[in-house]
Amino acid sequence: MTEPTHDETHGGALGARLNWLRAAVLGANDGIVSTAGLVVGVAGATDDRSALLTAGLAGLLAGSMSMAAGEYVSVSTQRDSEKAALAVEKRELRERPEAELEELTGLLEERGLSRAVAREAAEQLTARDALRAHARVELGIDPDQLTNPWHAAWASFLAFTVGALLPLLAMVLPPAGWRLAVTVVSVLAALLLTGWSSARLGAADPGRAMLRNVAGGALAMGVTYVAGALLGAAGV
């Protein structure tokens, strides 16, 4: 008789992994799609390698810095909120410990424990570390694993840069007649991969994620190419 497999991730480990996954996937997808749209749009107007390289590098640098700054600000705000909530909880535990014990008991009851078991568990958790118990049960925060804005910023910066390099190199390295086709195929393949990877790591349906990624990338490249071609034809 084979034993059932159990590969679910629980608690803080899942939250930490999903935070890293969110930053990495958003960064890579933005790097691929935005840079691909940029260089494909320029390619619609000109086949000059220097112009394509300049546009692509500018988009890579601007995008990676923007992603890093955005993640830093966003996660810093989240961290500040977590620290503020912990400070409030710490003050409440100091000023009204009995009420907080009763609150913890009620929260454990809501999770399916009987009143007696919930009360005993609440007392034991409070005796061991009251703040950590309330943070985890009431707030859903692990005081030892607060979100790190620098980690998120670097993850987004690196992910965007790696993603942006693909369409940039695909556009400037091949001969002029092959650039557009190589870029489109490379970008769509990369979006399939990132969609599949994000879905698998997040235990979601890969098909939907892959379809969303490919559809978004194809639309972005199509729109920017048409715009570039129209501007090139008009001599702008």
Side-chain angles (χ1 to χ4, degrees):
M1 179 177 178
T2 59
E3 295 185 3
T5 58
H6 186 75
D7 57 0
E8 293 180 57
T9 306
H10 298 280
L14 177 60
R17 189 178 75 174
L18 290 179
N19 281 336
W20 278 92
L21 176 63
R22 175 183 62 85
V25 169
L26 286 177
N29 278 350
D30 280 359
I32 293 169
V33 175
S34 63
T35 307
L38 180 60
V39 295
V40 167
V42 175
T46 179
D47 61 357
D48 182 69
R49 190 189 302 269
S50 176
L52 293 169
L53 179 61
T54 300
L57 284 175
L60 185 155
L61 292 173
S64 61
M65 294 300 295
S66 175
M67 283 292 297
E71 279 297 317
Y72 181 83
V73 170
S74 174
V75 176
S76 292
T77 301
Q78 179 183 344
R79 185 183 178 90
D80 291 343
S81 298
E82 291 173 344
K83 293 173 72 173
L86 290 173
V88 170
E89 198 63 38
K90 186 175 182 179
R91 185 183 71 248
E92 291 177 344
L93 285 167
R94 183 178 62 252
E95 295 176 352
R96 47 173 198 156
E98 287 301 322
E100 289 299 298
L101 178 61
E102 181 61 31
E103 182 181 32
L104 183 58
T105 301
L107 290 170
L108 293 174
E109 277 191 276
E110 292 175 2
R111 297 191 176 191
L113 299 181
S114 67
R115 172 69 184 181
V117 173
R119 182 71 177 191
E120 182 180 356
E123 290 175 348
Q124 292 185 15
L125 290 171
T126 299
R128 180 177 301 173
D129 192 324
L131 180 59
R132 180 172 282 101
H134 280 266
R136 289 177 173 175
V137 176
E138 182 181 347
L139 305 176
I141 298 173
D142 187 341
D144 297 324
Q145 296 183 5
L146 297 182
T147 52
N148 190 312
W150 285 109
H151 288 172
W154 277 111
S156 293
F157 178 87
L158 293 174
F160 187 99
T161 300
V162 171
L165 282 173
L166 174 69
L168 175 58
L169 295 177
M171 182 59 76
V172 300
L173 292 182
W178 287 88
R179 288 174 187 165
L180 185 59
V182 169
T183 301
V184 170
V185 171
S186 300
V187 166
L188 295 183
L191 291 175
L192 282 173
L193 179 61
T194 57
W196 179 86
S197 299
S198 64
R200 293 295 295 173
L201 290 172
D205 177 21
R208 290 185 177 182
M210 293 163 69
L211 180 60
R212 286 195 298 263
N213 275 12
V214 170
L219 179 62
M221 289 187 290
V223 169
T224 55
Y225 181 79
V226 170
L230 291 174
L231 290 172
V236 178

